[in-house]
Amino acid sequence: MFKVPDHQVAGHRADGGTLGPLVDDLGRFYKPLQSDQRGDTEVAFYNSLCSNTEIPSDIRELFPVFHGTQIIEASDGSGPQPHMVLEDLVAGRVNPSVMDIKMGSRTWYPEASEKYIQKCLEKDRKGTSVSLGFRISGLKAYQSSKAAFWQPVKKVVDSFNADDVRLALRKFVSSNLSLGSNADPDCLYASTVYSHGGGILAQLSRLKQWFEVQTNYHFYSCSILIFYDGESALDGCADPKLKLVDFAHVVDGHGVIDHNFLGGLCSLIKFIGDIVDEDNKCTKCEVKLA
């Protein structure tokens, strides 16, 4: 039994006869193969990833598990279509908070057409890709059983500037968003999600160390997906994870470091690190006052 993913925050959704990904009850995610060689490129990357013995096991864990391809009925009613079968990253999680971050100041690949380059350049300039080296593509944060999720609409997310990104990263780990847009985010889960020993900052740092030396691939228009258990965060059981997704425009690195992705990664680490530092200062202040 296939169904539309409940917690997809970016990309095309399989709603209303639109072609998009599906999930099943066995923890698998079915992504339609894209046209214009993009699907073949993504499948080729996953096959390369699985067979490349140079990639450390702790880095391989930061990618979804690939289960090959399968022909299933497409969500748009167009009949049987080939799909990549991947790990459903949020399967089994109760009310997960999810954020999709597109990496790099440049999202077009070297062999792209002029029309495609201009399309990407417009998006990169409109958002924060050019200025920050990354942009938020979509997010949702669980609040409570009464308030459910906070999820800004795509039009708002696409218009984020640097200050909006900083605020969104704070709201993503806050519990008081149901109080209204004027409430200062409490960052209640910042330490649990971002700075815990195995938290997002540690995983980003591990990824950064790899990108500082790896020269096999250049990742254009790739995203980092960050997610945690929103409902369990209060109990310190958020289990935050980071995964790289979307590899339709991965190209051969030809022995050169991927500075485009690495630059965005360093910028993202700085933004989240500042939130953690601010949270630590507030905690120390509260202890002193107490």
Side-chain angles (χ1 to χ4, degrees):
M1 180 66 70
F2 300 110
K3 57 185 179 182
V4 178
D6 290 330
H7 304 293
Q8 182 182 347
V9 296
H12 298 290
R13 283 186 58 83
D15 287 332
T18 302
L19 183 63
L22 300 167
V23 295
D24 63 17
D25 294 326
L26 301 176
R28 299 197 172 185
F29 182 92
Y30 298 80
K31 180 178 180 180
L33 262 68
Q34 299 183 72
S35 59
D36 302 329
Q37 301 301 312
R38 289 175 292 176
D40 293 338
T41 297
E42 192 157 20
V43 170
F45 168 75
Y46 274 113
N47 286 327
S48 174
L49 180 71
C50 293
S51 61
N52 191 336
T53 57
E54 295 180 7
I55 300 177
S57 58
D58 63 333
I59 295 300
R60 199 180 298 276
E61 292 172 355
L62 300 179
F63 293 85
V65 177
F66 177 56
H67 298 286
T69 60
Q70 183 177 333
I71 295 178
I72 66 171
E73 287 290 327
S75 62
D76 62 353
S78 59
Q81 299 289 341
H83 289 64
M84 285 184 297
V85 186
L86 303 166
E87 168 191 12
D88 181 1
L89 298 175
V90 297
R93 290 179 178 260
V94 179
N95 294 321
S97 294
V98 185
M99 181 182 295
D100 184 302
I101 305 172
K102 191 169 289 294
M103 301 302 295
S105 58
R106 164 186 165 179
T107 58
W108 70 90
Y109 56 101
E111 303 302 322
S113 66
E114 185 61 30
K115 181 179 180 181
Y116 184 81
I117 291 174
Q118 291 304 316
K119 177 183 176 181
C120 290
L121 190 56
E122 182 179 352
K123 287 185 178 180
D124 294 347
R125 287 173 173 169
K126 180 182 178 182
T128 60
S129 293
V130 172
S131 58
L132 301 183
F134 69 89
R135 72 173 181 260
I136 296 175
S137 296
L139 74 158
K140 62 187 301 186
Y142 181 73
Q143 297 303 290
S144 67
S145 57
K146 293 182 178 180
F149 288 91
W150 169 71
Q151 183 173 13
V153 298
K154 184 178 181 344
K155 184 177 180 180
V156 171
V157 176
D158 288 345
S159 65
F160 276 178
N161 57 29
D163 290 335
D164 296 326
V165 167
R166 187 174 291 105
L167 182 60
L169 288 168
R170 295 182 68 222
K171 285 186 173 182
F172 185 63
V173 290
S174 295
S175 68
N176 62 337
L177 304 186
S178 59
L179 298 179
S181 58
N182 294 325
D184 187 33
D186 59 18
C187 294
L188 185 63
Y189 313 132
S191 59
T192 303
V193 175
Y194 289 152
S195 61
H196 186 320
I200 296 303
L201 266 182
Q203 295 173 56
L204 285 171
S205 296
R206 188 200 319 171
L207 187 63
K208 175 176 172 286
Q209 290 175 0
W210 182 60
F211 266 91
E212 288 174 338
V213 296
Q214 83 86 17
T215 59
N216 291 321
Y217 312 106
H218 282 190
F219 295 83
Y220 292 101
S221 200
C222 170
S223 286
I224 286 179
L225 203 68
I226 294 173
F227 50 97
Y228 69 94
D229 288 335
E231 196 161 304
S232 304
L234 266 177
D235 300 323
C237 303
D239 189 25
K241 295 292 183 184
L242 173 161
K243 297 284 184 176
L244 275 73
V245 296
D246 297 337
F247 309 110
H249 300 304
V250 174
V251 300
D252 193 316
H254 296 296
V256 178
I257 289 175
D258 186 356
H259 291 287
N260 181 58
F261 191 104
L262 180 58
L265 192 55
C266 292
S267 178
L268 179 59
I269 289 173
K270 176 67 167 60
F271 267 69
I272 294 179
D274 286 346
I275 293 172
V276 170
D277 289 343
E278 179 183 335
D279 181 62
N280 288 338
K281 290 177 182 177
C282 290
T283 302
K284 290 178 182 178
C285 182
E286 288 173 1
V287 170
K288 186 176 181 180
L289 289 172

